[in-house]
Amino acid sequence: MKERSDKITRGIERAPIRSLLYALGYTKEELERPLIGVISAHSEIVPGHMNLDKITDAVKSGVRMAGGTPIEMPSMGVCDGIAMGHEGMKYSLASRELIADSVETMIQAHMMDGMVLVPNCDKIVPGMVMGALRVNIPTVVCSGGPMMAGIVDDKEVSLSKMFEAVGARKAEMIDDEELTRYEQGVCPGCGSCAGMYTANSMNSLCEAIGIALPGNGTIPAVHSDRLRLAKHAGMAIMDLLKNDIKAKDIINKRSIGNALACDMALGCSTNSVLHLLAIAHEAGIKLELSLFSEYSSKVPNLCHLAPAGPHHMQDLNNAGGIQAVFSELDKKGIIDREVITATGKTVGENIKGLKVKDNKVIRPIDDPYSETGGLAVMWGNIAMEGCVVKRSAVSPEMLVHKGPARVFDSEDEAIKTIYEGKINDGDVVVIRYEGPKGGPGMREMLNPTSALAGMKKDKTVALITDGRFSGASRGASIGHVCPEAACGGEIGLIKEGDMIQIDIPSGKLNAMVSDEEFAERKKKQKMPPSSVTKGWLVRYRRNVAGACKGAVME
């Protein structure tokens, strides 16, 4: 059980290291036990992380109860909501790589025997998992849990409604008083924002892939069940260590298939595509967009959580959570029951006897919202290497659409025009040079998508970008267009007024422009200068791969 940490605790030559550990207050007895790194992203700037000190303490209690010595270590974390709509968003996706690097660094430098990861929001979850896969020691993820939905004008709401309220205010559809009610009501306390946004998507998919215990994705941050889950996570890591079950034993090609199935059933954030690709890359597994398309074609969409529908994470938890979704998918043999999980048991053992408690929240597999998954992958002459859309959040009338391109070379240009009311019904807003390299950092486009939704244009206007979207975006919001404009992709060749054809059911995205015309435009194409000329984002821009590869570092 205790092999790695022997390198810092045993032998005459390790006496100087032991002296430093004794300086921390550890006893000889504690150093003779397995050392478990507890990596916490607690901070006072991220609402989803403000409670992680309590979660971390509970994890440490569980480790001690099971005979280990927990050692807390820090991780950084960006709040996507606070970083939204300004230069700060360039750092969000890019920070995933720093987090992965830091997990690898802290665990390898200090030779922990196992680790429990305590993240909650957006890029922190996949970043920590990526780092764990590099180190490949026993690992459990224990998130901080989702926020409760807020109440505004007697209706349950979450952060997506706040961003849409901005668009409504700009269009003078609501007044300052109503905007203030949203400001003060949509986020009632700690936790990851209450819809099926990126944070809750990834925490749910950690549970689906098996690296987190049942309940990780859905138990609300404010419930005492969350503290009990954290204690059990601390105990579980000791069992995994005893049985020599490592991160790569849990995360493999078969368990990634389960995560893809869950992704489609839930209708997760499109960011989940980026993160699953990156996680698979760190696990040494070849994963391509075509497999997402394959799962989308065979896995029905069972849930419509905000922004796709009226339900929130607390409702999904009350309906039975991710394990209940699995039990429903299992009725048609969609999941792999035999893969091992952080419980030490298989998926089949975990879901034995479980049933859905609320068929309004988790639809029966024979009566789904749609026979196809919540995400869709598309290809065409402006997305030769693919792009992604959250199909479950697209109005039926926008699944197939044709309209003139309104072209912008940055998010800032687009949002200014949208706020000025200069986007017309039928338009296709094209935002480019916002990809991993072009941004750099592949900014989320929640401001423009929510502004359009708040102006009641989500059923008449589409948006296409080589950037990405928050899980809170809804409407025909098509992102991750590859190749991106900054790499010479055809999205950079579109001109104002070009007709764009969108066919989500058929997986097609095309500009009504001939190959010959594109070739002529390419000869004259001029790349705009990067907005980033200093700092580590320059290094990121130089080395980051395309979105179709998960925007990993090469």
Side-chain angles (χ1 to χ4, degrees):
M1 287 180 66
K2 190 178 184 299
E3 297 178 1
R4 284 171 53 89
S5 63
D6 285 349
K7 295 177 183 178
I8 64 171
T9 61
R10 291 182 184 270
I12 295 171
E13 67 279 9
R14 301 306 186 212
I17 297 175
R18 289 195 298 273
S19 70
L20 293 168
L21 293 169
Y22 285 133
L24 291 163
Y26 293 107
T27 66
K28 182 175 182 294
E29 292 80 5
E30 285 176 302
L31 298 183
E32 288 174 350
R33 297 173 181 172
L35 304 186
I36 305 299
V38 182
I39 302 185
S40 171
H42 172 252
S43 75
E44 294 183 347
I45 189 59
V46 186
H49 291 187
M50 63 188 286
N51 67 321
L52 294 191
D53 54 342
K54 297 175 177 62
I55 302 298
T56 301
D57 285 344
V59 168
K60 289 158 68 176
S61 293
V63 171
R64 292 190 187 99
M65 284 190 284
T69 297
I71 299 178
E72 185 176 341
M73 301 174 182
S75 170
M76 61 170 286
V78 171
C79 177
D80 276 25
I82 295 174
M84 193 71 66
H86 55 85
E87 291 299 298
M89 181 48 74
K90 294 180 183 293
Y91 287 87
S92 173
L93 178 62
S95 73
R96 186 187 70 183
E97 312 310 309
L98 294 183
I99 292 163
D101 292 347
S102 68
V103 168
E104 174 191 357
T105 300
M106 294 300 286
I107 295 299
Q108 290 293 79
H110 303 108
M111 282 293 139
M112 297 292 101
D113 297 300
M115 64 176 140
V116 180
L117 305 173
V118 187
N120 209 21
C121 291
D122 296 78
K123 312 310 158 297
I124 299 90
V125 180
M128 283 191 179
V129 173
M130 290 162 65
L133 286 165
R134 295 178 191 174
V135 177
N136 195 31
I137 62 175
T139 302
V140 176
V141 172
C142 182
S143 74
M147 187 184 292
M148 300 293 285
I151 304 292
V152 175
D153 297 337
D154 298 324
K155 293 181 181 179
E156 283 194 354
V157 292
S158 52
L159 188 63
S160 57
K161 291 296 184 184
M162 179 69 253
F163 279 91
E164 290 176 18
V166 173
R169 179 67 189 90
K170 289 286 186 178
E172 298 187 352
M173 298 169 71
I174 64 173
D175 58 20
D176 287 339
E177 183 180 342
E178 187 169 352
L179 184 68
T180 299
R181 289 203 299 275
Y182 275 96
E183 279 185 50
Q184 298 178 354
V186 297
C187 296
C190 65
S192 46
C193 298
M196 188 51 77
Y197 311 145
T198 305
N200 291 325
S201 293
M202 293 314 301
N203 286 323
S204 296
L205 294 181
C206 280
E207 186 178 335
I209 213 168
I211 199 73
L213 299 182
N216 180 75
T218 61
I219 296 173
V222 295
H223 282 201
S224 57
D225 280 349
R226 177 60 57 174
L227 294 176
R228 284 190 283 271
L229 178 76
K231 291 175 182 177
H232 282 123
M235 290 185 263
I237 191 61
M238 298 304 295
D239 286 337
L240 294 182
L241 182 61
K242 179 180 179 182
N243 294 305
D244 195 31
I245 298 173
K246 299 182 175 69
K248 287 187 180 180
D249 296 321
I250 292 174
I251 298 180
N252 51 52
K253 189 172 183 179
R254 293 165 64 189
S255 66
I256 286 176
N258 282 346
L260 290 175
C262 187
D263 200 348
M264 299 305 164
L266 291 174
C268 289
S269 164
T270 50
N271 281 319
S272 65
V273 177
L274 281 174
H275 299 324
L276 287 176
L277 287 167
I279 287 168
H281 173 77
E282 295 293 353
I285 297 164
K286 186 177 181 180
L287 180 61
E288 297 180 343
L289 283 178
S290 56
L291 190 60
F292 286 84
S293 188
E294 179 183 325
Y295 271 84
S296 181
S297 68
K298 71 179 182 181
V299 180
N301 180 219
L302 305 182
C303 301
H304 268 191
L305 284 86
H311 303 127
H312 294 92
M313 294 305 293
Q314 65 209 48
D315 303 312
L316 181 58
N317 187 64
N318 293 338
I322 304 308
Q323 302 302 307
V325 173
F326 263 25
S327 70
E328 200 64 27
L329 294 176
D330 188 46
K331 292 178 180 178
K332 291 197 174 179
I334 291 173
I335 61 167
D336 189 328
R337 297 171 53 89
E338 302 307 316
V339 293
I340 197 70
T341 71
T343 65
K345 300 177 182 178
T346 64
V347 168
E349 290 172 321
N350 286 344
I351 66 172
K352 186 177 180 180
L354 290 181
K355 294 181 180 179
V356 173
K357 299 175 183 178
D358 188 343
N359 287 129
K360 293 180 181 178
V361 179
I362 304 173
R363 294 283 284 269
I365 198 162
D366 292 323
D367 183 28
Y369 283 103
S370 68
E371 293 293 341
T372 50
L375 300 181
V377 180
M378 307 165 70
W379 287 269
N381 68 353
I382 52 174
M384 304 293 281
E385 295 175 356
C387 58
V388 182
V389 63
K390 188 170 184 174
R391 175 166 43 192
S392 61
V394 179
S395 298
E397 54 264 54
M398 290 299 292
L399 290 172
V400 177
H401 179 75
K402 184 178 180 180
R406 302 294 306 279
V407 181
F408 305 93
D409 285 347
S410 72
E411 178 192 9
D412 310 88
E413 292 178 15
I415 194 66
K416 180 176 182 293
T417 302
I418 292 170
Y419 283 160
E420 290 173 351
K422 295 180 180 179
I423 299 299
N424 304 312
D425 290 344
D427 285 349
V428 178
V429 176
V430 178
I431 305 176
R432 59 198 186 184
Y433 297 103
E434 289 285 8
K437 286 185 182 292
M442 204 178 181
R443 287 197 286 182
E444 288 185 343
M445 303 291 159
L446 180 56
N447 273 355
T449 59
S450 57
L452 290 170
M455 294 173 177
K456 308 300 181 186
K457 289 185 177 292
D458 56 300
K459 296 182 180 180
T460 59
V461 174
L463 194 153
I464 299 170
T465 181
D466 53 9
R468 60 196 177 91
F469 297 108
S470 164
S473 292
R474 63 184 175 96
S477 303
I478 300 166
H480 308 195
V481 170
C482 277
E484 62 173 290
C487 292
E490 284 74 10
I491 190 173
L493 304 177
I494 297 172
K495 290 184 176 180
E496 187 86 4
D498 284 346
M499 295 302 292
I500 308 294
Q501 178 70 56
I502 298 167
D503 189 340
I504 294 173
S506 298
K508 296 178 181 179
L509 175 66
N510 289 287
M512 303 293 101
V513 178
S514 68
D515 293 345
E516 293 77 14
E517 174 61 21
F518 266 154
E520 285 300 312
R521 293 181 187 181
K522 201 170 190 69
K523 293 176 184 177
K524 303 173 184 177
Q525 186 181 23
K526 294 182 179 179
M527 299 287 181
S530 175
S531 62
V532 172
T533 58
K534 60 183 180 180
W536 66 267
L537 282 179
V538 174
R539 182 173 72 249
Y540 178 84
R541 186 176 192 271
R542 184 170 60 245
N543 296 320
V544 69
C548 62
K549 296 181 179 179
V552 297
M553 299 293 279
E554 291 185 328

